[in-house]
Amino acid sequence: MRNSAVTPLPVPPPQGARETDGQARTPKAQSRQEPFGVYVHWPFCRAKCPYCDFNSHVRHGGVDEARFLAAYLRELDHFASLAPQRSVASIFFGGGTPSLMGAGTVSAIIDSIANHWTLERDAEITLEANPTSVEAERFAGYRAVGVNRLSLGVQALDDASLKALGRQHSALEALAALALAKRHFDRVSFDLIYAREGQTAKAWAEELRNALGFAADHLSLYQLTIEEGTPFAARHDAGMLHIPNGDLARALYLLTQELCEPAGLPAYEVSNHARPGSESRHNLLYWRGQDYAGIGPGAHSRITSGGAKRALSAIKSPEGWRAEVEARGHGLDSDETLSAEEAADEYLLMGLRLSEGLDLARLAAIDGRGVDETRLSALESQGLVTREGGRLAATPSGRLVLNRLILELAA
Ligand SMILES: C[S@@+](CC[C@H](N)C(=O)[O-])C[C@H]1O[C@@H](n2cnc3c(N)ncnc32)[C@H](O)[C@@H]1O
Ligand code: SF4
């Protein structure tokens, strides 16, 4: 999952942004019965893409997969003790490049999750895959061990753009991988990055129309974000990389909505589109403020215990994380209890990304206050938010200024 679009917002959300004394009160509805997710981060890639600032690393000398697997299993034991008796609705293998993992490794992790918690019979089990031919050969193996949804990093549909993005696959390879994925999985998503260097509205419309023709049940369409510290940022700062911004970026975003909706894949989140009923359950879990355990280097977790929300995160360095797990059973380097205001702000930040919006009663139950009526009415009269059936949602124009909405509505 990637959460950048017209208004890039961090996910997982920032922690400890403000010092407050209250603790998050968790609404009754957010009980053990709520869906629980497990995110597994595999931090290795064949090559580092020049735009990417995810926790992903290249190891030319190879990766000791068996030793990492042992560490994943140990950290799962730890999380099972932190969040016992949950019902797992979703598992997500993200990266990095999880399609570099052997099917046996994926299988052992799924088995361990099923041993520790109740794995729902219809649980969504997603794996992110890069569409090189080598990785495509592994799809059948993933399906055989229980993965039931594949998310492919296609990124662009022409070779020149793929080269400019530093990708390891060709357009033909991507389409072949997509066809194979559709053969093995009922649920398939693919990612594209738009607002690339030199991309006009006409060129994006053509590419997106083409993509919609290949789409299965889900598409993630991310606007290219220049991330600090990446080679793209260095080129951008030196004036050597020009990407659409301002009016053109807005136009590309609006065009994306205009083309996807009639094609039967409306946005259910800023950058995510699905056929109704095919939304990623895992993504929804994050944006609906539900709990999840994040296993692996740099993974984040949100766990409700004793009525308060805990935000945990792990050491980013893969070998550093593994050494800690081997020494003390987990690789966590941060564990904070969110204050009531922090938890409410986080729910607001996540919920406003969704087309369905957020539950105002739930928000009020978290911090005991909810949103300020005067500010809310002002945003409503500007056509930026709507309130219906106890839910607050950003309108399409509101979604273009999401950061502003959040600043105005946050506690
Ligand atoms: C971290 S990657 C993992 C998936 C897989 N390794 C891949 O690259 O296909 C998840 C997605 O984030 C998106 N992404 C990564 N960096 C981005 C950036 N700077 N701007 C926009 N999207 C980005 C890409 O679309 C990518 O598919
Ligand atoms: S393959 Fe994916 S995770 Fe790895 S560097 Fe490229 S975009 Fe990032």
Side-chain angles (χ1 to χ4, degrees):
M1 177 189 79
R2 173 81 193 178
N3 298 288
S4 59
V6 173
T7 48
L9 292 167
V11 167
Q15 297 162 26
R18 277 173 306 135
E19 285 293 317
T20 48
D21 55 4
Q23 284 202 342
R25 278 183 293 276
T26 303
K28 280 211 170 59
Q30 189 169 22
S31 67
R32 284 187 178 165
Q33 303 324 314
E34 275 210 339
F36 181 69
V38 181
Y39 174 81
V40 181
H41 189 79
W42 187 255
F44 302 110
C45 293
R46 245 184 247 293
K48 184 84 189 175
C49 304
Y51 54 85
C52 175
D53 77 338
F54 277 76
N55 187 29
S56 57
H57 308 263
V58 179
R59 296 287 180 261
H60 295 293
V63 170
D64 185 342
E65 195 166 325
R67 191 166 164 197
F68 270 98
L69 171 61
Y72 282 87
L73 298 180
R74 273 201 75 184
E75 201 174 55
L76 273 167
D77 294 344
H78 182 69
F79 271 93
S81 65
L82 291 181
Q85 297 171 327
R86 302 294 182 111
S87 182
V88 176
S90 168
I91 303 173
F92 194 102
F93 291 89
T97 305
S99 51
L100 296 176
M101 300 166 91
T105 303
V106 172
S107 174
I109 292 174
I110 297 173
D111 285 351
S112 163
I113 292 169
N115 285 334
H116 284 307
W117 293 288
T118 305
L119 182 59
E120 291 178 10
R121 254 175 3 110
D122 63 344
E124 175 184 279
I125 307 184
T126 306
L127 185 133
E128 270 182 345
N130 283 26
T132 69
S133 49
V134 181
E135 285 154 297
E137 282 170 17
R138 301 191 169 151
F139 294 172
Y142 295 138
R143 181 71 197 99
V145 301
V147 173
N148 53 27
R149 184 173 180 272
L150 208 76
S151 172
L152 270 184
V154 171
Q155 320 304 2
L157 290 178
D158 70 278
D159 288 344
S161 301
L162 288 168
K163 191 159 176 243
L165 289 171
R167 300 294 293 184
Q168 304 287 299
H169 61 268
S170 67
L172 267 182
E173 252 182 319
L175 293 181
L178 182 58
L180 196 64
K182 287 199 241 176
R183 224 176 299 145
H184 289 298
F185 298 91
D186 291 336
R187 301 188 59 197
V188 174
S189 178
F190 66 90
D191 297 0
L192 290 179
I193 296 180
Y194 69 97
R196 306 188 300 261
E197 185 167 35
Q199 196 172 35
T200 60
K202 186 168 174 281
W204 173 231
E206 230 167 81
E207 183 173 11
L208 182 54
R209 275 196 197 98
N210 203 1
L212 285 164
F214 296 118
D217 66 344
H218 191 284
L219 275 182
S220 297
L221 304 169
Y222 299 117
Q223 182 166 348
L224 177 63
T225 311
I226 301 297
E227 303 287 0
E228 219 177 294
T230 59
F232 265 30
R235 285 178 46 207
H236 189 254
D237 293 350
M240 289 159 65
L241 177 68
H242 303 280
I243 59 160
N245 53 29
D247 286 350
L248 180 53
R250 283 169 62 94
L252 293 176
Y253 177 75
L254 293 173
L255 182 62
T256 305
Q257 318 312 310
E258 272 163 35
L259 291 178
C260 288
E261 179 120 23
L265 286 135
Y268 67 97
E269 190 269 346
V270 177
S271 312
N272 284 280
H273 300 253
R275 301 201 190 284
S278 291
E279 298 82 6
S280 156
R281 285 177 76 180
H282 198 84
N283 286 352
L284 284 176
L285 207 130
Y286 293 148
W287 296 317
R288 287 176 175 165
Q290 292 160 348
D291 280 7
Y292 54 94
I295 314 296
H300 291 237
S301 308
R302 289 290 181 277
I303 290 175
T304 303
S305 61
K309 190 82 112 178
R310 277 165 80 179
L312 308 103
S313 65
I315 296 165
K316 287 178 98 177
S317 147
E319 290 75 17
W321 168 84
R322 189 182 63 191
E324 282 304 305
V325 179
E326 288 173 350
R328 58 189 175 112
H330 65 82
L332 296 169
D333 64 355
S334 166
D335 180 355
E336 289 177 35
T337 297
L338 297 182
S339 70
E341 288 82 358
E342 285 167 341
D345 286 356
E346 185 167 296
Y347 180 55
L348 186 70
L349 186 116
M350 295 287 131
L352 282 181
R353 300 186 66 97
L354 288 171
S355 307
E356 67 177 28
L358 56 90
D359 180 346
L360 281 164
R362 180 174 178 139
L363 182 68
I366 296 173
D367 69 355
R369 283 188 310 176
V371 283
D372 180 90
E373 184 54 43
T374 318
R375 285 189 251 169
L376 193 54
S377 304
L379 293 171
E380 248 180 330
S381 57
Q382 291 164 45
L384 298 173
V385 297
T386 56
R387 238 185 311 185
E388 233 181 275
R391 298 192 73 84
L392 171 69
T395 61
S397 18
R399 242 173 271 143
L400 277 165
V401 290
L402 210 45
N403 287 341
R404 188 189 130 200
L405 293 190
I406 287 154
L407 280 177
E408 292 199 20
L409 291 172

